[in-house]
Amino acid sequence: MGGNPHEDAASGSARPYRSFGAFYPFYLSQHAERTCRRLHFLGTTLGLAGVIAAVATMNFWWLAAGIVAGYAAAWVGHFLFEKNRPATFSYPLYSFLGDWMMWAEMLRGRIKF
């Protein structure tokens, strides 16, 4: 599926990654387009802002708003710019961790913004 090295060519089914370390290079390959990465950064930041607002106000609708805004921005990046299927559909936990790792690496300048 879309260049996934863990795809079994005979069956077409994806084999699970055994660690986040093995998954992360694949995750980065699915975010090669700069606008997609920027939208992920925006989405992750909006998600964090939602968490902070929810805790600060004790209004947990902010949490829902942050999650919706975060995923909406990321999925726009995938569907309109990267033109691939978000990894979150197949690897939700590793994808969530990848979002935060990529966000931190972009913030530090290790990944081009």
Side-chain angles (χ1 to χ4, degrees):
M1 303 195 106
N4 183 344
H6 279 67
E7 186 174 5
D8 184 331
S11 69
S13 64
R15 296 177 310 202
Y17 286 91
R18 295 188 187 269
S19 70
F20 178 72
F23 171 80
Y24 192 58
F26 166 69
Y27 176 88
L28 290 177
S29 77
Q30 300 301 294
H31 300 86
E33 209 285 321
R34 193 172 188 181
T35 302
C36 182
R37 287 194 310 274
R38 287 176 173 172
L39 285 167
H40 269 69
F41 188 88
L42 172 65
T44 301
T45 302
L46 289 172
L48 179 59
V51 169
I52 292 169
V55 171
T57 65
M58 296 306 288
N59 178 349
F60 290 94
W61 284 107
W62 284 112
L63 180 61
I67 291 168
V68 168
Y71 278 106
W75 291 353
V76 165
H78 281 287
F79 294 125
L80 297 182
F81 297 97
E82 196 73 55
K83 302 206 186 317
N84 64 13
R85 183 175 182 258
T88 205
F89 295 149
S90 299
Y91 303 98
L93 178 60
Y94 283 164
S95 180
F96 180 77
L97 295 173
D99 288 342
W100 287 103
M101 178 73 80
M102 186 171 72
W103 183 84
E105 289 185 336
M106 289 175 76
L107 201 59
R108 291 185 199 114
R110 293 182 182 163
I111 293 177
K112 195 170 187 174
F113 191 86

